[in-house]
Amino acid sequence: MQKKLVIVESPAKAKTIEKFLGKDYQVLSSYGHIRDLKAKEFSVDIEHDYTPQYVIPADKRKVVAELKKASAGAEEVLLASDEDREGEAIAWHLAETLGLEPEKTQRIVFHEITKNAILHALNHPRSININLVNAQQARRVLDRMVGFEVSPILWRKVKPALSAGRVQSVAVRLLVEREREIQQFVSEASYRVTAHFLLSDGQTLLKTELNRRLKNREEARDFLQFCRTAEFVVDDISTKPFRKSPPPPFTTSTLQQEAARKLGFSVSQTMIVAQRLYESGCITYMRTDSLNLSDLALGASRETITGTYGEKYYRFRKYQTKSKGAQEAHEAIRPTDMSAPEIHGSVQDKKLYDLIYKRTLACQMADAELERTTITIGIGGKKEKFTATGEVIQFDGFLHVYMESVDEDAEKEQENGLLPPVALNETPGLSEMTAVERFTQRPPRYTEATLVRRLEELGIGRPSTYAPTIQTIQNREYVVRGDRPGKERTYGILALKDGQITSADKTEVVGADRNKLLPTDIGIVVNDFLVDYFPDVMDYNFTASVEKEFDAIAEGELAWTRALDKFYKFFHPIVEATSAVKTVHKVGERQVGIDPQSGEPVFVKIGRYGPIAQIGQGSPDNKDAPKPRFASLMKGQSIETITLEETLKLFDLPRSAGEFEGDEITVGLGRFGPYIRFRDKFISIPKTLNPHTISDEEAIRLIREKRAREAERIIKQFEEEPGLEVLNGRYGAYIACQGVNYRIPKDMKPDELTLEACRKIIELSPTKTGKSRKTGKRNEKGAVSK
DNA sequence: CAGTGAGCGAGCTTCCGCTTGACTT
């Protein structure tokens, strides 16, 4: 008997739906888009109304063949891709590619995977909305125009294999501009005064803070001086109730942010784990911007909350999706089964599931009710007051299961919990008062997760692209994830104790950053170039404004080719003009000065392999002219800020560092930093030593140390199997076999291992499930992760 | 995770959004 064929986007979804539908239905998956513009060609016919040239990518041929076969034998085909622009386009491409007859083809949509929703969808079929499809085509073609016309300009003017795009270039811009704000930031100092008062019981201390910051040290000193003899009185004790509401359920971006803060996951890590949870049926779809929860989920949450915590903890809530450009094709991210607080799986799986479970529960729970008490202490003869605030939870509500984390950047003054009992008009004694110099804080650097949040706020990118975009800007080396050391600064501190005022200067390290996104020289140069020549595309509102056009297309108010024509007629001339600009110098090139030795100019710029310094211009016509000399910049140096002196130093290497045992030692700079070379062996120079100033003795010492390590390296070798060795590495003993390394179980002694024992370890070791490390591809350099 | 170590005039790159897989006669 002929079945009805339902086509959805995701195979996991197909499996679930098949269970809901009877055996009259076959459910298959398209695995996303099945057609696209050619990967390596422009594929848009500018001359003929911007006709896109679509192809079926090689990795989709098999799926398409299967779908073709299944649809040919089906009684009816139901296109059930997502209810958004991309989903509509997928349905259209399917109809075109599979050659579906209109009379036996229908379009259905549901945005939650529940039996009711699906049955409802089956009863309300429609046809493909071509306006929505055209909005997607416009989006696709515009992105191709921007990407494929601007990127080649970068290849010529900056460096090969770079890229530009509507989303990635703006992401880099955010980082570059934030970095400049940080550079230009001037902090302002003020004195924060705190006082500890001794209450009437003669024991309890009340910690308070002055309600005003003092301008400078003089003012602080005067203030403390005054307080030496001042009288203090408890002016006011007030208690105010307030409430806290739970955060909304997770979307892709909030899940990424919270998993980064609470679990330390990278954005891509979160998505990999979430994908696993989705495929095993534990959670709903993980790429979504919707805050909607199905009635089924709401009911189950209610049951769980009232059953576990009582009626009092429950409160029905509906959340409105507010992010720009949200397309509501799915539900929010939630557990599929609210009665399962735990799941089987890896530690990571469990942690992320736990987070999703609790967040989902919390969003249907009652407000927390708190009380904030403020004690105010007046100073006789002054209008300033000291205050102490304490918060007490009267009813925990949703806080019982879930507390949202905040970014650690905000250096929050800690709030006291419960305050000690104090009487109005009590006159506490001053135990100790301090005035500490504090500074306004520079803006924080972005993390992967905070960048995603910003992009979402601006409506740039989609849930399915946040993680890949962040990968791309790192692959292009526009951005690195890394640390920045803090700066030391001194601050003043004044203390009043036992009637004595003391003052001191202390130092602290501030502004240290770990695992933040940092723009590279390449990122900065490319960004400045693009902002200069393509200000409209680089505008933070560019996406939002083209989205308005796409909406008009979707509503049938605007022809998609007309919208593209308008954009291209404006955009392409800029591309032409920019390409035509003849520059003697490369983009981003800067002359830092004149080399005093040769009298030649000294430049820094982006070279084929990254930032480089150059002395002299050379002359292609004159072979006798002196050739330019090159030297790479060191890690942490920037072509924006490097000085002439620092640049010239780069040319000191390689240099000789004396002789050892009759052979010369040279000091050089390699891909991985400074090194010593001795008889064709390379030894890294530790960060504590400077390659420019390293002495002959220090170099010899490093060689000796290296030899010692070398001698200790081989723990065991076996005659029977020369390819297998027990070695001593940076992280202890390991077994090396045919280029692969294996860890040795902790309970075994490396020097006592037999060949059989080694073979057994190798056999038992879990084979890497991930992709092999040797990817044959040339372009993906595999971001240097630490 | 476990060692690596140039060069700057020749090989081809790139976009954004959907979605996971990874060979037979």
Side-chain angles (χ1 to χ4, degrees):
Chain A
M1 195 196 88
Q2 278 196 324
K3 288 186 175 189
K4 294 182 182 180
L5 174 65
V6 179
I7 305 177
V8 296
E9 292 181 37
S10 146
K13 202 170 174 177
K15 242 168 58 188
T16 317
I17 293 171
E18 197 146 49
K19 273 188 273 174
F20 291 137
L21 298 172
K23 50 184 187 301
D24 296 345
Y25 291 87
Q26 181 188 17
V27 187
L28 291 179
S29 156
S30 76
Y31 294 83
H33 277 293
I34 53 148
R35 281 204 308 190
D36 192 12
L37 301 174
K38 288 186 186 171
K40 296 188 184 239
E41 286 171 37
F42 192 64
S43 297
V44 177
D45 192 345
I46 302 294
E47 306 297 316
H48 297 94
D49 242 6
Y50 305 94
T51 309
Q53 195 185 346
Y54 293 117
V55 292
I56 302 166
D59 58 334
K60 285 290 162 61
R61 295 222 177 100
K62 210 174 131 193
V63 193
V64 171
E66 277 169 21
L67 291 173
K68 217 173 222 168
K69 202 172 149 203
S71 63
E75 174 195 335
E76 195 176 27
V77 179
L78 301 163
L79 301 171
S81 43
D82 295 344
E83 188 183 22
D84 59 15
R85 207 161 60 202
E86 298 296 328
E88 203 68 17
I90 288 173
W92 178 74
H93 280 299
L94 281 169
E96 294 257 304
T97 310
L98 305 179
L100 303 181
E101 298 158 35
E103 53 273 19
K104 55 175 255 188
T105 305
Q106 286 185 322
R107 170 87 172 110
I108 59 168
V109 294
F110 37 82
H111 33 246
E112 50 186 62
I113 314 296
T114 55
K115 191 163 184 179
N116 278 344
I118 290 158
L119 294 179
H120 179 84
L122 287 174
N123 288 328
H124 296 81
R126 57 172 174 85
S127 53
I128 290 170
N129 178 347
I130 196 67
N131 290 332
L132 200 51
V133 173
N134 288 340
Q136 191 274 348
Q137 297 201 84
R139 198 279 305 155
R140 181 67 189 91
V141 170
L142 182 134
D143 282 335
R144 174 53 65 92
M145 286 172 172
V146 173
F148 274 43
E149 295 217 339
V150 179
S151 297
I153 303 180
L154 296 178
W155 305 342
R156 287 199 306 277
K157 302 216 179 245
V158 183
K159 193 170 112 86
L162 292 179
S163 63
R166 174 176 57 83
V167 172
Q168 59 169 288
S169 296
V170 178
V172 173
R173 181 178 187 182
L174 284 165
L175 296 168
V176 171
E177 294 196 336
R178 175 57 56 86
E179 200 64 24
R180 295 226 163 100
E181 278 175 50
I182 291 170
Q183 264 170 28
Q184 286 157 13
F185 182 77
V186 184
S187 67
E188 282 173 22
S190 64
Y191 277 76
R192 171 173 172 240
V193 185
T194 55
H196 294 184
F197 291 101
L198 191 62
L199 300 181
S200 53
D201 65 354
Q203 281 192 330
T204 317
L205 283 178
L206 178 67
K207 296 175 182 176
T208 64
E209 181 178 341
L210 193 67
N211 63 355
R212 186 169 80 84
R213 297 257 171 138
L214 305 179
K215 271 207 279 301
N216 50 41
R217 187 180 289 225
E218 287 66 46
E219 202 183 339
R221 185 183 293 277
D222 290 348
F223 184 81
L224 294 199
Q225 185 67 35
F226 182 89
C227 286
R228 270 180 64 196
T229 54
E231 288 206 349
F232 303 98
V233 59
V234 175
D235 264 357
D236 188 44
I237 303 169
S238 69
T239 300
K240 271 192 195 132
F242 68 103
R243 307 167 81 86
K244 273 185 190 159
S245 297
F250 279 133
T251 61
T252 303
S253 89
T254 53
L255 178 68
Q256 287 171 348
Q257 290 158 42
E258 195 72 343
R261 289 187 291 236
K262 278 202 155 97
L263 309 177
F265 285 8
S266 72
V267 161
S268 63
Q269 203 180 352
T270 299
M271 294 313 285
I272 290 167
V273 177
Q275 174 89 32
R276 246 194 335 257
L277 293 174
Y278 168 66
E279 281 173 9
S280 58
C282 296
I283 61 167
T284 55
Y285 197 58
M286 64 284 155
R287 291 186 276 262
T288 177
D289 50 16
S290 168
L291 295 178
N292 187 51
L293 293 172
S294 72
D295 292 339
L296 203 71
L298 291 171
S301 297
R302 175 183 190 141
E303 227 165 83
T304 306
I305 295 164
T306 53
T308 317
Y309 307 105
E311 194 68 42
K312 214 181 151 197
Y313 277 89
Y314 175 74
R315 177 165 156 192
F316 172 79
R317 295 168 195 272
K318 214 163 171 62
Y319 293 91
Q320 284 297 318
T321 306
K322 57 179 183 297
S323 65
K324 274 188 204 175
Q327 297 184 19
E328 301 273 3
H330 305 96
E331 277 188 77
I333 304 172
R334 61 157 176 96
T336 47
D337 179 6
M338 288 309 291
S339 67
E342 275 175 43
I343 52 145
H344 297 288
S346 71
V347 179
Q348 291 189 335
D349 295 2
K350 288 180 172 187
K351 281 184 175 169
L352 194 72
Y353 181 82
D354 184 61
L355 200 63
I356 295 168
Y357 183 84
K358 288 179 172 158
R359 174 93 164 208
T360 309
L361 215 55
C363 84
Q364 293 301 314
M365 288 178 73
D367 283 355
E369 291 164 22
L370 300 91
E371 224 173 54
R372 182 178 292 132
T373 301
T374 308
I375 299 174
T376 309
I377 295 178
I379 312 160
K382 285 238 180 246
K383 61 177 190 302
E384 284 90 354
K385 311 271 188 196
F386 281 99
T387 60
T389 56
E391 273 179 25
V392 182
I393 297 176
Q394 300 288 340
F395 172 63
D396 56 1
F398 78 93
L399 290 177
H400 198 76
V401 298
Y402 189 88
M403 177 100 79
E404 194 176 26
S405 297
V406 289
D407 291 314
E408 87 271 321
D409 304 304
E411 184 194 333
K412 274 187 100 178
E413 266 100 65
Q414 58 181 37
E415 300 247 296
N416 303 324
L418 199 61
L419 293 175
V422 179
L424 199 61
N425 297 322
E426 181 176 332
T427 53
L430 179 64
S431 165
E432 185 181 359
M433 190 179 292
T434 46
V436 181
E437 191 175 14
R438 297 283 75 192
F439 300 84
T440 51
Q441 280 190 59
R442 60 162 176 77
R445 291 199 167 88
Y446 284 103
T447 63
E448 289 189 351
T450 57
L451 181 63
V452 167
R453 180 174 60 198
R454 189 76 189 107
L455 288 172
E456 189 188 35
E457 281 167 8
L458 293 165
I460 299 170
R462 304 280 314 134
S464 65
T465 60
Y466 295 137
T469 299
I470 278 171
Q471 193 59 56
T472 300
I473 61 178
Q474 292 179 61
N475 287 347
R476 301 279 170 271
E477 293 176 359
Y478 292 146
V479 169
V480 289
R481 244 171 31 178
D483 307 337
R484 279 286 153 87
K487 278 186 192 149
E488 203 167 78
R489 101 181 141 198
T490 59
Y491 64 98
I493 177 163
L494 299 171
L496 166 60
K497 193 167 190 186
D498 303 327
Q500 296 286 319
I501 294 176
T502 52
S503 82
D505 281 322
K506 292 199 174 181
T507 58
E508 60 183 346
V509 175
V510 288
D513 260 327
R514 280 197 54 234
N515 209 17
K516 294 288 163 67
L517 293 176
L518 309 165
T520 62
D521 270 348
I522 300 170
I524 294 169
V525 165
V526 167
N527 176 68
D528 292 355
F529 174 77
L530 293 177
V531 170
D532 248 13
Y533 287 89
F534 299 95
D536 297 273
V537 174
M538 292 296 284
D539 192 293
Y540 293 127
N541 292 315
F542 177 69
T543 291
S545 66
V546 292
E547 281 290 341
K548 274 190 195 143
E549 302 258 301
F550 298 153
D551 286 345
I553 296 167
E555 292 298 317
E557 295 158 2
L558 177 63
W560 71 285
T561 49
R562 233 187 83 80
L564 284 176
D565 190 55
K566 203 174 90 190
F567 174 71
Y568 197 73
K569 289 238 162 71
F570 152 82
F571 171 73
H572 189 68
I574 303 175
V575 172
E576 294 277 302
T578 309
S579 301
V581 174
K582 288 266 192 298
T583 42
V584 188
H585 300 292
K586 286 192 85 168
V587 172
E589 184 169 321
R590 183 169 75 90
Q591 185 175 342
V592 291
I594 302 286
D595 174 28
Q597 272 189 349
S598 60
E600 297 272 8
V602 182
F603 299 97
V604 286
K605 63 181 181 184
I606 301 293
R608 173 73 181 79
Y609 305 103
I612 193 167
Q614 176 183 347
I615 298 178
Q617 292 280 39
S619 160
D621 312 327
N622 182 1
K623 282 193 180 147
D624 297 331
K627 283 185 182 163
R629 293 159 58 207
F630 297 96
S632 291
L633 267 64
M634 290 202 290
K635 255 191 184 161
Q637 290 182 324
S638 162
I639 61 171
E640 271 205 314
T641 55
I642 195 168
T643 62
L644 175 63
E645 202 188 356
E646 288 165 340
T647 311
L648 291 173
K649 267 207 163 166
L650 297 172
F651 291 89
D652 291 349
L653 299 177
R655 70 178 175 94
S656 169
E659 280 188 3
F660 181 54
E661 296 176 348
D663 284 304
E664 195 186 20
I665 308 171
T666 47
V667 180
L669 201 57
R671 275 210 290 163
F672 309 102
Y675 63 87
I676 291 173
R677 185 178 189 155
F678 179 67
R679 289 182 187 156
D680 291 331
K681 284 214 163 154
F682 294 89
I683 307 160
S684 288
I685 297 175
K687 281 191 200 112
T688 47
L689 294 174
N690 182 334
H692 296 287
T693 58
I694 194 165
S695 68
D696 300 6
E697 291 76 35
E698 284 167 329
I700 291 169
R701 186 169 56 81
L702 288 174
I703 294 169
R704 290 216 168 100
E705 283 172 9
K706 171 80 171 177
R707 279 185 180 169
R709 273 202 303 280
E710 214 59 342
E712 283 172 14
R713 194 170 96 96
I714 297 166
I715 299 175
K716 216 152 193 183
Q717 283 173 316
F718 302 98
E719 284 173 20
E720 306 94 293
E721 197 163 343
L724 195 157
E725 293 174 306
V726 183
L727 299 175
N728 210 351
R730 271 171 71 193
Y731 304 96
Y734 65 98
I735 297 170
C737 182
Q738 320 281 2
V740 187
N741 300 323
Y742 305 87
R743 60 176 1 151
I744 298 170
K746 279 204 178 90
D747 53 340
M748 295 196 199
K749 292 205 170 122
D751 48 345
E752 289 171 10
L753 284 173
T754 61
L755 182 57
E756 283 68 44
C758 291
R759 284 193 177 134
K760 194 141 194 199
I761 291 171
I762 292 169
E763 213 174 288
L764 291 176
S765 81
T767 39
K768 292 262 185 272
T769 44
K771 291 147 216 154
S772 100
R773 309 201 102 253
K774 291 173 217 151
T775 46
K777 293 195 173 174
R778 222 175 302 121
N779 52 347
E780 297 300 345
K781 284 178 192 153
V784 193
S785 57
K786 284 183 265 185

